[in-house]
Amino acid sequence: MKKISVVIPMYNEEEVVKTSYLRIKEVLEECKEYDYEMIFINDGSKDKTLKLLQEMAQENKKVKILSLARNFGHQAAVTAGIRYVTGDAIVIIDADLQDPPELLPEMLTLWEKGNEVIYGQRKIRKGESAFKLLTAKMFYHTLNVLSDVEIPKDTGDFRLVDRKVIDVINSLPEHNKFLRGLFSWVGFKQKAYPYERQERQAGKTKYPFKKMCKLASDGIISFSTKPLKMVGGLGILTIILSIGILIYSIVSYLFNLNSLTPGWTSIMVAITLFSGVQLLSIWIISEYIARIYDETRNRPEYIIDKKINF
Ligand code: UDP
Ligand code: MG
């Protein structure tokens, strides 16, 4: 019997824990030809999330809990979850039921047809602020301009993934994973699954502006080195500009075109030339630092405090 593993990250979700569990469970139990497990990751919640999860785990052994030592963030929580899955098909879903679990049977059908990554693509996003929609749009646009991998627009982490792909993702040593990017970077047979994103069931978003910025910078830095190169381009541009000013001053001096304030030339040339040289050097140094940084960040992405039903 094939098994489905559902991975659900939770951070201060006491308001949705129960409804979320019941709704996902109902869907899973309707898929009678599959066995299932539900892996909840408690990402350092400060409310009753863990307590509620433990109650569920006691009455249903298919409910497994990974409780992290503190809040490590959504991506780290999902990374922890997918490391412990034992199923053949893995589903990543948010706790707030914005991604309807009822779509699972259709996604499973697509999986049975040989697709290996079925990613949810939002046709509409209900109940999101205009600010969130705008920044998300800008982010995906920038990311696609900068990055060499095609990262599909309007996708989050809601997806069904074959075991084979999860094994590859788990074997990647990099930290600060931008999962939705990696899932498209690894290749395999990908399939978009358009759906309507619902409003959050209850509670507030756990993605304040700061966390959104971190996610965006992880996305850009781990999929592109172009920003570093752009700094270099800026340096070269400044140097060209300073040479231009130099030529202009010499010409106007020789032909006495206009009387420049004495000292203007030397100051302008020095400022532009040296700021150009500085930007250029910072670029070169950053290229090295970025590589060293990449190699040395060897801290674990998350720390597990408790494991239940494993
Ligand atoms: N989440 C998490 N750790 C965090 C922030 C969020 O595990 O530090 C979980 C959260 O509980 C939810 C999912 O990540 O299951 C997505 O968060 P949310 O719905 O708040 O984000 P939004 O939909 O508003 O972008
Ligand atoms: Mg949400």
Side-chain angles (χ1 to χ4, degrees):
M1 199 178 196
K2 285 182 189 166
K3 187 173 177 183
I4 314 168
S5 300
V6 185
V7 173
I8 313 142
M10 290 206 162
Y11 176 53
N12 293 344
E13 298 285 10
E14 60 181 10
E15 281 149 298
V16 296
V17 175
K18 270 269 150 67
T19 17
S20 183
Y21 162 65
L22 291 174
R23 242 177 87 184
I24 299 171
K25 188 177 90 159
E26 201 186 318
V27 174
L28 288 169
E29 284 183 348
E30 264 165 35
C31 303
K32 291 200 180 63
E33 60 277 34
Y34 300 97
D35 189 12
Y36 74 86
E37 67 179 353
M38 292 164 90
I39 301 185
F40 289 93
I41 304 97
N42 170 43
D43 187 16
S45 302
K46 291 179 189 76
D47 62 359
K48 290 206 278 308
T49 303
L50 182 61
K51 199 172 149 267
L52 295 169
L53 285 175
Q54 279 171 323
E55 285 169 20
M56 285 156 23
Q58 224 154 37
E59 67 186 51
N60 184 351
K61 294 292 165 221
K62 292 179 177 177
V63 170
K64 302 177 178 183
I65 305 170
L66 286 175
S67 188
L68 306 186
R70 62 167 169 86
N71 179 243
F72 281 90
H74 178 216
Q75 300 290 299
V78 175
T79 306
I82 58 178
R83 204 149 273 159
Y84 284 85
V85 293
T86 57
D88 305 282
I90 290 88
V91 178
I92 301 169
I93 191 166
D94 283 355
D96 58 0
L97 298 170
Q98 282 193 284
D99 317 309
E102 289 74 22
L103 304 176
L104 225 129
E106 275 183 53
M107 292 172 107
L108 280 167
T109 316
L110 289 171
W111 174 63
E112 291 287 5
K113 283 189 185 145
N115 295 293
E116 287 152 325
V117 179
I118 297 109
Y119 57 91
Q121 193 158 36
R122 304 149 181 166
K123 283 189 292 188
I124 2 175
R125 299 176 77 168
K126 289 186 189 156
E128 306 269 32
S129 66
F131 177 72
K132 182 141 189 170
L133 294 180
L134 180 75
T135 46
K137 203 172 170 172
M138 275 162 51
F139 166 64
Y140 284 105
H141 184 76
T142 319
L143 187 60
N144 269 313
V145 169
L146 293 177
S147 142
D148 302 325
V149 230
E150 185 74 29
I151 295 170
K153 287 201 179 80
D154 299 317
T155 56
D157 288 311
F158 177 45
R159 62 190 71 224
L160 188 148
V161 187
D162 191 272
R163 171 92 233 170
K164 190 164 81 180
V165 182
I166 289 289
D167 288 341
V168 173
I169 297 281
N170 285 341
S171 72
L172 300 176
E174 73 180 78
H175 293 70
N176 295 308
K177 292 196 180 84
F178 182 63
L179 289 168
R180 58 197 75 169
L182 286 175
F183 276 117
S184 100
W185 174 82
V186 292
F188 295 99
K189 245 185 129 209
Q190 305 258 344
K191 176 101 188 143
Y193 181 80
Y195 73 108
E196 289 176 15
R197 194 158 214 242
Q198 305 301 311
E199 272 177 58
R200 189 174 238 284
Q201 193 74 10
K204 280 204 287 282
T205 175
K206 304 301 173 313
Y207 255 98
F209 188 63
K210 206 174 128 193
K211 278 187 183 162
M212 263 162 59
C213 289
K214 158 94 168 75
L215 183 72
S217 69
D218 279 349
I220 290 171
I221 292 173
S222 60
F223 281 93
S224 170
T225 48
K226 277 186 198 145
L228 289 175
K229 298 187 174 106
M230 275 154 56
V231 175
L234 206 64
I236 292 167
L237 216 71
T238 340
I239 292 173
I240 293 173
L241 181 74
S242 84
I243 294 172
I245 292 174
L246 186 67
I247 294 172
Y248 167 73
S249 337
I250 293 172
V251 170
S252 59
Y253 173 76
L254 288 179
F255 299 97
N256 217 356
L257 287 180
N258 53 11
S259 47
L260 290 171
T261 320
W264 185 88
T265 313
S266 50
I267 289 174
M268 281 312 280
V269 172
I271 290 174
T272 48
L273 178 72
F274 286 113
S275 48
V277 171
Q278 275 168 11
L279 285 172
L280 197 69
S281 335
I282 292 172
W283 166 43
I284 297 165
I285 296 168
S286 328
E287 284 272 11
Y288 284 96
I289 294 177
R291 279 170 182 72
I292 299 166
Y293 181 51
D294 235 34
E295 296 302 317
T296 50
R297 284 179 298 191
N298 229 340
R299 255 181 260 151
E301 285 159 281
Y302 54 83
I303 297 164
I304 294 175
D305 173 26
K306 276 196 206 82
K307 280 189 236 167
I308 298 167
N309 284 350
F310 277 99

